[in-house]
């Protein structure tokens, strides 16, 4: 499957997907998956010039409409990190899948790498690990939390139901805090093979 492509021409973002890729999506996942992909391309184009906060809200709301499902039900695997295209194509996934789809969409919309982090937390009510996307205006800011459980974007200090553990993106891993990013964790201290596997899978999809 081919990822949605983007180019930057005269400071305007232009998103497109070729017909061959759409036909492959249709063949593998069906007509509705194809329609969802077309709709995402249209959405990206429509919001490309909006403010960062507007982009956060629109992308958060958009992907939160996808059905929640366990990896066992969706992929017949205990733990599977789906690419955005897989998540959207089957129209279901778990917390990591929501975060991955939001992260790559917002990066594609021009939000800088250093402002977006995939963040592991403890969901206190459910007594289990959970993942959310966090947005830092600056490294010292209280991050905003994009979540699929509580769907309204709130600052981390208002999410007393979550206990932050650590955050990462394509660059570094940090001990997570409710304010600021915290200290950097040395490479090798936390195993993020799922992230590495996901990046390799996305690169293969782009070919």
């Amino acid at each position: 499957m081919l990822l949605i492509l983007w180019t930057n021409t005269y400071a305007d973002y232009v998103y497109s997907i070729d017909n061959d890729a759409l036909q492959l999506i249709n063949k593998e996942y069906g007509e509705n998956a194809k329609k969802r992909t077309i709709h995402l391309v249209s959405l990206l184009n429509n919001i490309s010039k909006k403010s960062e906060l507007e982009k956060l809200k629109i992308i958060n709301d958009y992907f939160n409409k996808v059905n929640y499902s366990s990896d066992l039900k969706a992929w017949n695997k205990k733990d599977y990190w789906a690419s955005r295209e897989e998540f959207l194509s089957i129209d279901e996934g778990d917390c990591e899948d929501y975060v991955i789809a939001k992260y790559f969409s917002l990066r594609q919309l021009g939000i800088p790498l250093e402002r977006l982090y995939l963040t592991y937390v403890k969901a206190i009510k459910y007594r289990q690990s959970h993942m959310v996307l966090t947005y830092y205006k600056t490294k010292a800011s209280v991050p905003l939390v994009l979540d699929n459980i509580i769907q309204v974007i709130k600052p981390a200090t208002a999410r007393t139901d979550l206990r932050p553990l650590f955050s990462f993106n394509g660059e570094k891993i940090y001990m997570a805090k409710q304010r600021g990013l915290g200290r950097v964790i040395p490479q090798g201290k936390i195993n993020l093979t799922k992230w590495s596997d996901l990046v390799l899978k996305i690169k293969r999809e782009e070919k």
Side-chain angles (χ1 to χ4, degrees):
M1 186 192 306
L2 191 67
L3 280 172
I4 296 167
L5 303 175
W6 69 93
T7 59
N8 190 346
T9 306
Y10 304 111
D12 291 327
Y13 284 89
V14 179
Y15 307 92
S16 64
I17 185 165
D18 64 41
N19 189 60
D20 288 343
L22 283 175
Q23 292 309 315
L24 183 58
I25 291 170
N26 184 63
K27 181 180 178 181
E28 292 188 6
Y29 297 103
E31 180 69 22
N32 287 334
K34 175 183 171 182
K35 290 178 180 178
R36 286 192 291 271
T37 302
I38 293 171
H39 187 268
L40 176 59
V41 173
S42 176
L43 177 73
L44 293 173
N45 279 296
N46 288 337
I47 70 173
S48 63
K49 295 183 180 180
K50 291 186 178 292
S51 70
E52 287 192 355
L53 290 180
E54 288 175 313
K55 290 174 182 176
L56 292 178
K57 183 181 186 310
I58 292 168
I59 290 297
N60 189 58
D61 290 345
Y62 179 80
F63 285 108
N64 279 346
K65 293 176 183 177
V66 176
N67 300 304
Y68 178 85
S69 176
S70 69
D71 286 331
L72 278 175
K73 181 177 179 295
W75 300 105
N76 199 29
K77 294 182 180 180
K78 185 177 180 180
D79 188 18
Y80 183 79
W81 286 21
S83 69
R84 177 183 60 179
E85 281 56 42
E86 291 174 320
F87 178 56
L88 197 60
S89 290
I90 68 169
D91 198 30
E92 59 181 307
D94 67 0
C95 61
E96 291 94 351
D97 303 328
Y98 289 94
V99 171
I100 289 163
K102 294 171 188 179
Y103 174 84
F104 282 102
S105 296
L106 291 167
R107 287 287 295 120
Q108 195 170 358
L109 284 164
I111 294 185
L113 176 72
E114 64 271 16
R115 296 189 179 185
L116 293 171
Y117 290 84
L118 296 84
T119 301
Y120 270 109
V121 298
K122 183 80 171 182
I124 297 171
K125 178 180 177 180
Y126 299 99
R127 298 182 180 180
Q128 64 183 31
S129 297
H130 181 50
M131 185 186 279
V132 297
L133 183 65
T134 47
Y135 166 86
Y136 293 76
K137 187 173 182 180
T138 71
K139 287 188 176 182
S141 298
V142 174
L144 298 177
V145 178
L146 285 69
D147 191 7
N148 66 291
I149 295 178
I150 294 178
Q151 301 191 8
V152 176
I153 297 174
K154 295 183 178 182
T157 48
R159 292 300 304 272
T160 56
D161 58 312
L162 303 178
R163 185 192 310 151
L165 300 175
F166 67 92
S167 302
F168 67 97
N169 60 13
E171 198 171 64
K172 293 180 180 178
I173 306 171
Y174 293 85
M175 291 299 296
K177 303 190 300 182
Q178 287 187 323
R179 180 184 296 274
L181 278 170
R183 63 180 176 84
V184 177
I185 301 174
Q187 289 187 357
K189 292 292 185 180
I190 293 179
N191 186 352
L192 286 178
T193 55
K194 292 291 183 184
W195 174 253
S196 300
D197 291 345
L198 174 71
V199 171
L200 288 174
K201 176 168 58 177
I202 290 172
K203 287 181 179 179
R204 288 195 299 269
E205 288 177 344
E206 288 178 327
K207 293 180 179 179

